[in-house]
């Protein structure tokens, strides 16, 4: 027997345990509900590239679902004083963000001429209306009440957004963690109205400065601060790639949802989530 035949026999023997009879057992496709998932790409035009457009946005929404799952769990961990568990979850969020950014590279293969072939089929539907993206903004502390009107059509969804709008954000619970550690944070920042957009506070800035100037004593809070910076960094990179992809495909046309398109996306880049953590880099 040749070496090749011996190898093939061993390989065959090793794989005898592979299951092939699924008449009474759950399959991979059933577990993932692939019939439902893979039948959800319904083109409204006959244009070949509409499939690309749909798949990219659906994949992004799946990644956003996981971002919310991990971020909300991290918020709960921080509230429970379990910072180590929150670090794992926030690190995973950053990795997910790197994946969602890559999606713009694929979508940017769509040319302006190709997109215009099916753009009218979208009607007024737009990524601007992504409720999961709004939930991510809320979870990170950027609260905009007027956005809620978009979702009044679905009362259950509207209620979910309302709850997230009034809930403490990732940064709110991080500030609470600073106070729990004995750092002198303004009580008004610890128990504030969470529906209001966060604005930088001097006591929070001083607390983070203390953490970064004494890393050894405040190691867990230092790690938390850096995890937050990672997340905002990746989010801004995602926003930038979004803006440049839109500019590449439609230029400065008005968006399908009625926004100013690229001009709106450029303004969004000025939004900040964790301002003190960025400002302190100039001071330490």
């Amino acid at each position: 027997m040749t070496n090749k035949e011996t190898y093939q026999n061993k390989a065959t023997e090793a794989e005898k345990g592979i299951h092939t009879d699924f008449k009474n057992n759950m399959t991979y496709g059933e577990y993932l509900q692939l019939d439902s998932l893979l039948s959800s790409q319904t083109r409204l035009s006959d244009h070949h590239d509409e499939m690309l457009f749909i798949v990219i946005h659906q994949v992004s929404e799946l990644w956003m679902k996981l971002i919310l799952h991990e971020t909300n769990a991290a918020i709960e961990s921080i509230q429970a004083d379990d910072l180590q568990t929150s670090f794992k979850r926030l690190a995973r969020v950053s990795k997910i963000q790197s994946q969602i950014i890559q999606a713009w590279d694929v979508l940017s293969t769509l040319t302006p001429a190709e997109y215009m072939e099916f753009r009218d089929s979208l009607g007024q539907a737009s990524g601007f209306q992504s409720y999961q993206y709004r939930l991510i903004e809320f979870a990170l502390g950027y609260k905009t009440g007027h956005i809620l009107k978009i979702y009044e059509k679905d009362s259950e969804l509207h209620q979910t957004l309302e709850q997230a709008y009034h809930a403490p954000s990732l940064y709110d619970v991080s500030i609470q963690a600073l106070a729990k550690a004995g750092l002198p944070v303004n009580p008004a920042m610890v128990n504030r109205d969470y529906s209001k957009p966060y604005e930088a506070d001097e006591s929070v800035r001083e607390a983070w400065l203390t953490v970064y100037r004494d890393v050894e004593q405040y190691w867990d809070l230092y790690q938390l601060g850096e995890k937050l910076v990672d997340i905002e960094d990746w989010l801004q990179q995602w926003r930038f790639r979004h803006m440049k992809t839109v500019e590449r495909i439609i230029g400065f046309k008005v968006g399908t949802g009625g926004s100013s398109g690229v001009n709106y996306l450029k303004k969004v880049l000025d939004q900040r989530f964790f301002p003190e953590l960025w400002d302190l880099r100039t001071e330490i």
Side-chain angles (χ1 to χ4, degrees):
M1 182 180 294
T2 65
N3 288 338
K4 181 179 179 180
E5 289 173 329
T6 300
Y7 174 80
Q8 289 175 334
N9 287 339
K10 287 182 178 179
T12 299
E13 186 68 26
E15 304 303 338
K16 280 186 176 180
I18 291 177
H19 295 288
T20 57
D21 183 359
F22 287 93
K23 291 177 181 177
N24 299 308
N25 296 304
M26 179 177 65
T27 65
Y28 169 82
E30 289 169 337
Y31 172 68
L32 294 178
Q33 300 183 55
L34 290 181
D35 285 347
S36 174
L37 184 65
L38 298 179
S39 62
S40 296
Q41 295 72 47
T42 305
R43 288 183 291 168
L44 298 181
S45 74
D46 294 327
H47 198 274
H48 173 84
D49 292 315
E50 189 181 356
M51 181 63 74
L52 164 68
F53 191 82
I54 292 171
V55 168
I56 288 297
H57 286 85
Q58 287 183 340
V59 168
S60 295
E61 290 291 338
L62 284 172
W63 281 129
M64 282 192 274
K65 182 173 184 175
L66 190 53
I67 286 173
L68 286 165
H69 178 70
E70 298 295 343
T71 302
N72 289 330
I75 289 172
E76 292 177 1
S77 295
I78 296 169
Q79 288 175 315
D81 301 324
D82 183 4
L83 295 185
Q84 289 299 320
T85 298
S86 77
F87 298 156
K88 171 69 175 181
R89 289 165 176 165
L90 294 175
R92 182 173 291 162
V93 169
S94 293
K95 291 296 184 182
I96 297 165
Q97 289 175 297
S98 71
Q99 292 298 308
I100 204 170
I101 290 169
Q102 294 293 325
W104 295 121
D105 293 338
V106 183
L107 187 60
S108 66
T109 65
L110 182 68
T111 68
E114 290 165 344
Y115 181 50
M116 293 310 295
E117 290 289 329
F118 64 86
R119 189 185 190 223
D120 287 346
S121 299
L122 275 61
Q124 294 179 328
S126 165
F128 182 85
Q129 298 146 18
S130 169
Y131 69 83
Q132 290 199 121
Y133 178 73
R134 297 305 171 187
L135 287 171
I136 290 172
E137 284 191 330
F138 289 177
L140 297 183
Y142 186 75
K143 307 291 182 75
T144 47
H146 70 278
I147 290 294
L148 294 172
K149 185 173 178 60
I150 296 173
Y151 310 101
E152 289 177 348
K153 180 179 180 179
D154 185 331
S155 59
E156 185 175 343
L157 173 58
H158 189 266
Q159 183 178 2
T160 297
L161 283 150
E162 278 277 8
Q163 290 174 348
Y165 181 66
H166 291 282
S169 71
L170 178 61
Y171 201 42
D172 286 319
V173 298
S174 297
I175 291 171
Q176 290 167 5
L178 293 173
K180 287 179 183 178
L183 293 162
V185 176
N186 182 352
M189 302 306 298
V190 177
N191 300 297
R192 69 187 195 88
D193 181 352
Y194 302 125
S195 69
K196 302 295 184 183
Y198 180 79
E199 295 183 4
D201 177 81
E202 180 65 19
S203 69
V204 174
R205 184 186 72 85
E206 287 294 334
W208 281 121
L209 273 172
T210 300
V211 169
Y212 275 72
R213 285 171 173 161
D214 193 348
V215 172
E216 185 174 346
Q217 180 177 349
Y218 298 105
W219 176 247
D220 282 354
L221 291 172
Y222 173 70
Q223 288 188 85
L224 177 59
E226 286 301 288
K227 290 289 186 292
L228 297 181
V229 170
D230 285 343
I231 287 172
E232 182 166 350
D233 190 351
W234 282 112
L235 180 64
Q236 293 292 52
Q237 291 187 53
W238 181 88
R239 285 172 158 181
F240 179 80
R241 289 295 295 124
H242 183 189
M243 181 270 291
K244 294 306 292 184
T245 301
V246 171
E247 183 178 0
R248 176 172 177 157
I249 296 174
I250 68 168
F252 286 81
K253 292 185 181 74
V254 172
T256 51
S259 76
S260 59
V262 169
N263 287 325
Y264 168 78
L265 296 173
K266 284 184 175 181
K267 286 190 292 185
V268 165
L269 287 169
D270 292 331
Q271 294 172 1
R272 305 177 81 198
F273 293 89
F274 319 128
E276 294 90 353
L277 285 168
W278 290 95
D279 293 343
L280 66 79
R281 280 153 164 75
T282 307
E283 300 184 52
I284 57 174

